[in-house]
PDB file of all heavy atoms in Angstrom:
ATOM      1  N   SER A  48     129.493 100.794  96.198  1.00 83.00           N
ATOM      2  CA  SER A  48     129.131  99.744  97.194  1.00 83.00           C
ATOM      3  C   SER A  48     127.606  99.641  97.379  1.00 83.00           C
ATOM      4  O   SER A  48     127.148  98.588  97.849  1.00 83.00           O
ATOM      5  CB  SER A  48     129.740 100.000  98.563  1.00 83.00           C
ATOM      6  OG  SER A  48     129.241 101.326  99.118  1.00 83.00           O
ATOM      7  N   PHE A  49     126.866 100.661  97.029  1.00 81.00           N
ATOM      8  CA  PHE A  49     125.380 100.495  97.048  1.00 81.00           C
ATOM      9  C   PHE A  49     124.942  99.460  96.083  1.00 81.00           C
ATOM     10  O   PHE A  49     123.900  98.833  96.379  1.00 81.00           O
ATOM     11  CB  PHE A  49     124.771 101.896  96.657  1.00 81.00           C
ATOM     12  CG  PHE A  49     123.263 101.803  96.575  1.00 81.00           C
ATOM     13  CD1 PHE A  49     122.522 101.986  97.748  1.00 81.00           C
ATOM     14  CD2 PHE A  49     122.530 101.571  95.398  1.00 81.00           C
ATOM     15  CE1 PHE A  49     121.153 101.867  97.722  1.00 81.00           C
ATOM     16  CE2 PHE A  49     121.216 101.553  95.301  1.00 81.00           C
ATOM     17  CZ  PHE A  49     120.416 101.631  96.443  1.00 81.00           C
ATOM     18  N   PHE A  50     125.636  99.242  94.972  1.00 84.00           N
ATOM     19  CA  PHE A  50     125.295  98.158  94.044  1.00 84.00           C
ATOM     20  C   PHE A  50     125.954  96.887  94.300  1.00 84.00           C
ATOM     21  O   PHE A  50     125.977  95.971  93.416  1.00 84.00           O
ATOM     22  CB  PHE A  50     125.556  98.680  92.691  1.00 84.00           C
ATOM     23  CG  PHE A  50     124.902  99.993  92.269  1.00 84.00           C
ATOM     24  CD1 PHE A  50     125.519 101.217  92.381  1.00 84.00           C
ATOM     25  CD2 PHE A  50     123.572  99.970  91.901  1.00 84.00           C
ATOM     26  CE1 PHE A  50     124.892 102.419  92.131  1.00 84.00           C
ATOM     27  CE2 PHE A  50     122.906 101.193  91.619  1.00 84.00           C
ATOM     28  CZ  PHE A  50     123.551 102.393  91.704  1.00 84.00           C
ATOM     29  N   ARG A  51     126.496  96.685  95.480  1.00 89.00           N
ATOM     30  CA  ARG A  51     127.173  95.450  95.828  1.00 89.00           C
ATOM     31  C   ARG A  51     126.232  94.288  95.795  1.00 89.00           C
ATOM     32  O   ARG A  51     125.004  94.374  96.113  1.00 89.00           O
ATOM     33  CB  ARG A  51     127.856  95.501  97.120  1.00 89.00           C
ATOM     34  CG  ARG A  51     126.981  95.640  98.339  1.00 89.00           C
ATOM     35  CD  ARG A  51     127.844  96.084  99.566  1.00 89.00           C
ATOM     36  NE  ARG A  51     127.016  96.134 100.771  1.00 89.00           N
ATOM     37  CZ  ARG A  51     126.327  97.188 101.135  1.00 89.00           C
ATOM     38  NH1 ARG A  51     126.243  98.179 100.347  1.00 89.00           N
ATOM     39  NH2 ARG A  51     125.568  97.188 102.286  1.00 89.00           N
ATOM     40  N   ASN A  52     126.730  93.048  95.395  1.00 90.00           N
ATOM     41  CA  ASN A  52     125.914  91.922  95.311  1.00 90.00           C
ATOM     42  C   ASN A  52     126.591  90.675  95.991  1.00 90.00           C
ATOM     43  O   ASN A  52     127.237  89.887  95.390  1.00 90.00           O
ATOM     44  CB  ASN A  52     125.547  91.543  93.809  1.00 90.00           C
ATOM     45  CG  ASN A  52     124.727  90.387  93.621  1.00 90.00           C
ATOM     46  OD1 ASN A  52     124.060  89.924  94.658  1.00 90.00           O
ATOM     47  ND2 ASN A  52     124.616  89.874  92.408  1.00 90.00           N
ATOM     48  N   PRO A  53     126.638  90.704  97.278  1.00 91.00           N
ATOM     49  CA  PRO A  53     127.357  89.668  98.048  1.00 91.00           C
ATOM     50  C   PRO A  53     126.888  88.290  97.798  1.00 91.00           C
ATOM     51  O   PRO A  53     125.649  88.084  97.718  1.00 91.00           O
ATOM     52  CB  PRO A  53     127.173  90.086  99.542  1.00 91.00           C
ATOM     53  CG  PRO A  53     125.893  90.863  99.540  1.00 91.00           C
ATOM     54  CD  PRO A  53     125.803  91.581  98.168  1.00 91.00           C
ATOM     55  N   TRP A  54     127.795  87.385  97.693  1.00 92.00           N
ATOM     56  CA  TRP A  54     127.338  85.998  97.500  1.00 92.00           C
ATOM     57  C   TRP A  54     126.845  85.401  98.713  1.00 92.00           C
ATOM     58  O   TRP A  54     127.238  85.701  99.786  1.00 92.00           O
ATOM     59  CB  TRP A  54     128.574  85.121  97.042  1.00 92.00           C
ATOM     60  CG  TRP A  54     128.192  83.687  96.847  1.00 92.00           C
ATOM     61  CD1 TRP A  54     127.779  83.107  95.766  1.00 92.00           C
ATOM     62  CD2 TRP A  54     128.383  82.637  97.831  1.00 92.00           C
ATOM     63  NE1 TRP A  54     127.577  81.717  95.880  1.00 92.00           N
ATOM     64  CE2 TRP A  54     127.836  81.418  97.124  1.00 92.00           C
ATOM     65  CE3 TRP A  54     128.777  82.549  99.142  1.00 92.00           C
ATOM     66  CZ2 TRP A  54     127.835  80.189  97.827  1.00 92.00           C
ATOM     67  CZ3 TRP A  54     128.670  81.273  99.787  1.00 92.00           C
ATOM     68  CH2 TRP A  54     128.246  80.100  99.164  1.00 92.00           C
ATOM     69  N   ARG A  55     125.694  84.692  98.616  1.00 94.00           N
ATOM     70  CA  ARG A  55     124.986  84.050  99.766  1.00 94.00           C
ATOM     71  C   ARG A  55     124.639  82.620  99.510  1.00 94.00           C
ATOM     72  O   ARG A  55     124.180  82.273  98.450  1.00 94.00           O
ATOM     73  CB  ARG A  55     123.749  84.877 100.107  1.00 94.00           C
ATOM     74  CG  ARG A  55     124.001  86.239 100.588  1.00 94.00           C
ATOM     75  CD  ARG A  55     122.886  87.136 101.008  1.00 94.00           C
ATOM     76  NE  ARG A  55     123.339  88.403 101.539  1.00 94.00           N
ATOM     77  CZ  ARG A  55     122.521  89.392 101.894  1.00 94.00           C
ATOM     78  NH1 ARG A  55     121.201  89.306 101.664  1.00 94.00           N
ATOM     79  NH2 ARG A  55     123.076  90.507 102.283  1.00 94.00           N
ATOM     80  N   ARG A  56     124.761  81.847 100.624  1.00 94.00           N
ATOM     81  CA  ARG A  56     124.435  80.458 100.434  1.00 94.00           C
ATOM     82  C   ARG A  56     122.930  80.345 101.028  1.00 94.00           C
ATOM     83  O   ARG A  56     122.707  80.461 102.228  1.00 94.00           O
ATOM     84  CB  ARG A  56     125.303  79.556 101.329  1.00 94.00           C
ATOM     85  CG  ARG A  56     124.967  78.158 101.173  1.00 94.00           C
ATOM     86  CD  ARG A  56     125.869  77.229 102.199  1.00 94.00           C
ATOM     87  NE  ARG A  56     127.281  77.382 101.916  1.00 94.00           N
ATOM     88  CZ  ARG A  56     127.868  76.681 101.030  1.00 94.00           C
ATOM     89  NH1 ARG A  56     127.241  75.670 100.330  1.00 94.00           N
ATOM     90  NH2 ARG A  56     129.203  76.862 100.812  1.00 94.00           N
TER      91      ARG A  56
END
Side-chain angles (χ1 to χ4, degrees):
S48 63
F49 177 83
F50 301 98
R51 66 193 184 279
N52 184 11
W54 181 83
R55 291 181 178 175
R56 185 187 297 275

